[in-house]
Amino acid sequence: IFVQGVILMRKSKFKLLTSSWLKTSVKGNQVKGVVDGVWYKYDFFPQEAIAEVVVSEFLQASGETNYVKYFLKDMTNVCYSQSFVQDRNNYIPFAKMLQFIGFNYDVWVNRYYVSASVQERFNLVKQVYLDFGVDAQDFDVEISKMVKLDYLMMNIDRHFNNFGVIYNKDVEEVIMAPVFDNGLSLGVGVEAETGLARIRRALKNTTKVRPFSRVPRKNLSVIPVDYYFEFDVYKFLEIHDYRIDLTYTSFVIFLERVSSLLVYDVNGYNIREVFISAFGDWRVLNW
């Protein structure tokens, strides 16, 4: 995935950050297919579909609307969703947005983005959205939600083709695209680690993320809104696909992550207590 060589970054530190890495998935080309407006995604890494579904369940249980809802097929290594591009709408990823407003992607990344600080990178991305006609307040809220979600769920795949805008050419309206493609979350795809090793690594919050920094907390440090997910733990239990249980390490990571970082849900219930009552105590796994 990385092109050979390294780029000298600020403070003379070397970072493996390239234009191709910012634009492509860490997993290469995942098998996907569309039939009658329904997208099907097949696992590239084990439990990818599980993570995709659990993250969308979290968003649904938080009352979110601007996201893509995923469901498991009969086989738990396949998930599907309705296409979020309907009628006369077009999805334009950030990498393409640069081209639409006259930038060469590689020049923009290598000349401006790579050498910038984390805050400067955020400002560069925001300016592209504003030049594209996106409302500044909408950008601040939606980008903050995306970054906060990626932090909570340990998403390592938020490259420049995984966020962007929806453009309706009939009315010339531009809006923020929904949050989608969260399969490489919750420890999925973390350096080929499995089982308890994956759980330990994910919970230490040491996985590499994007788009502004490879350090999760640095991404959080630049978002303008401290986004709060109004997570309803009992709503989650109502909508959860119970084929997903403690046998999946990604689900164990989700339970611990949400319990530890949110602690209480929007109604004041202790999330850990409710989860343990519903699924059992995952801490007996001794990770």
Side-chain angles (χ1 to χ4, degrees), residues 3 5 21 36 47 61 69 90 98 119 128 142 167 177 181 203 215 223 242:
V3 297
W21 187 78
D36 296 329
Q47 301 188 37
K69 175 66 177 173
N90 295 279
L98 288 168
Q119 183 62 62
V128 172
E142 291 299 317
Y167 173 62
D181 209 347
L203 293 177
V215 179
I223 57 175
Y242 281 85

Side-chain angles (χ1 to χ4, degrees), residues 124-142:
L124 284 167
V125 170
K126 181 174 182 176
Q127 190 58 55
V128 172
Y129 273 86
L130 297 185
D131 290 345
F132 221 80
V134 173
D135 179 79
Q137 184 174 2
D138 287 346
F139 172 84
D140 285 348
V141 171
E142 291 299 317

